[in-house]
Amino acid sequence: MGENLQTGERLRPIDLARGHGLSTQAVRNYEEAGILPAATRSAHGYRAYTPLHARALRTFLALAPGHGHRTATAIMRAVNEGATDEALRLVDESHVQLLDDRRTLQAVERALRDLEPADAPEPDGVTFIGPLAHRLGIRPATLRKWEGAGLLRPRRDPDTGYRVYDPADVRDARLVRQLRRGGHPLEQIGPLLDQVRTAGGLEPLEGALRDWHRRLSARGRAMLGGAAELEAYLRARE
């Protein structure tokens, strides 16, 4: 190893904790989780860390914002166990997930560009499957198919068992109809509806998409920072 764990400067748990804005208990927890290599112990049982432990801690804290706590932990544990290929595979999986999220965002934005203005204001009350299908110019079976795909979530009348569509359900059904007419597959429509529901409607969605862009960019940059620290840690262990 480039920095021997058993020699060199000795650091106490409080030294690592203060240097990274953590508690000494957090440092101990990270060691127990495998994020840090095992510390040596003094004759009285006190932990003794080295600069390599400090680098490991810095690496984990750099990885976590881009990869998440669980994956960052798994990456560090793999490195400390000598399973570098496994650590790099985990890094690759995170990048694949980020790319998938970017593609989902692009699909949502394309779908929104295809939307037509509403042909009429959404009703204030509720409606049932037959009237809604007639209004949209489709068959009731199509609405049931969209519900089966998880795109629509009408509630059921407790007495009759009939599907009941409130104004938000009608909005979602209209969106699905327009997007299907535009040739969008169901798997692209689902993420769009999730964004509409989270944003509280179409009008607030523009701000939600801007925030989505910012969060993806932040993750990408965090992954770059984490990669640099991980490479430095790997070199230090050689």
Side-chain angles (χ1 to χ4, degrees):
M1 290 185 181
E3 295 180 62
N4 194 302
L5 290 178
Q6 309 302 324
T7 62
E9 181 185 358
R10 289 292 190 266
L11 302 172
R12 300 167 300 168
I14 189 63
D15 298 323
L16 262 65
R18 286 174 177 169
H20 297 86
L22 301 170
S23 67
T24 54
Q25 184 60 52
V27 172
R28 288 192 289 267
N29 291 343
Y30 287 159
E31 181 188 346
E32 291 173 2
I35 293 169
L36 305 182
T40 59
R41 297 278 186 148
S42 70
H44 298 288
Y46 294 117
R47 289 176 171 86
Y49 296 110
T50 70
L52 189 60
H53 289 90
R55 183 174 290 280
L57 182 54
R58 185 164 61 248
T59 300
F60 170 73
L61 295 176
L63 288 170
H67 297 272
H69 190 281
R70 178 178 297 179
T71 299
T73 298
I75 292 170
M76 293 302 298
R77 186 182 295 124
V79 171
N80 293 329
E81 292 173 354
T84 302
D85 285 346
E86 171 63 12
L88 296 178
R89 183 191 67 78
L90 292 167
V91 171
D92 291 342
E93 283 190 350
S94 281
H95 282 281
V96 169
Q97 182 60 59
L98 178 61
L99 181 58
D100 286 345
D101 290 345
R102 289 191 185 281
R103 287 171 173 164
T104 297
L105 174 57
Q106 291 170 352
V108 168
E109 291 177 324
R110 284 196 303 270
L112 283 175
R113 287 196 294 269
D114 290 345
L115 285 177
E116 306 167 359
D119 49 8
E122 302 299 351
D124 293 331
V126 299
T127 188
F128 298 96
I129 191 167
L132 178 58
H134 177 75
R135 180 183 176 197
L136 298 178
I138 58 177
R139 295 180 296 116
T142 300
L143 288 173
R144 288 193 289 268
K145 177 182 178 181
W146 294 346
E147 180 183 347
L151 301 179
L152 302 180
R153 306 168 183 174
R155 62 180 177 86
R156 295 281 187 146
D157 184 282
D159 296 325
T160 65
Y162 294 158
R163 293 171 172 84
V164 178
Y165 298 83
D166 63 22
D169 297 321
V170 174
R171 175 204 65 201
D172 292 347
R174 181 179 66 82
L175 288 174
V176 176
R177 179 202 62 177
Q178 291 189 13
L179 293 170
R180 290 297 287 155
R181 284 180 175 177
H184 292 274
L186 296 181
E187 58 267 23
Q188 287 187 1
I189 297 174
L192 170 61
L193 289 177
D194 289 340
Q195 289 297 314
V196 171
R197 290 165 181 149
T198 300
L202 282 171
E203 291 183 2
L205 185 56
E206 183 177 350
L209 292 178
R210 287 196 299 269
D211 181 63
W212 195 355
H213 271 289
R214 286 193 295 269
R215 286 185 283 110
L216 290 180
S217 295
R219 272 175 58 196
R221 296 189 67 172
M223 285 182 178
L224 290 177
E229 290 291 346
L230 180 60
E231 170 63 13
Y233 182 53
L234 290 171
R235 288 186 180 277
R237 289 179 56 87
E238 290 176 351

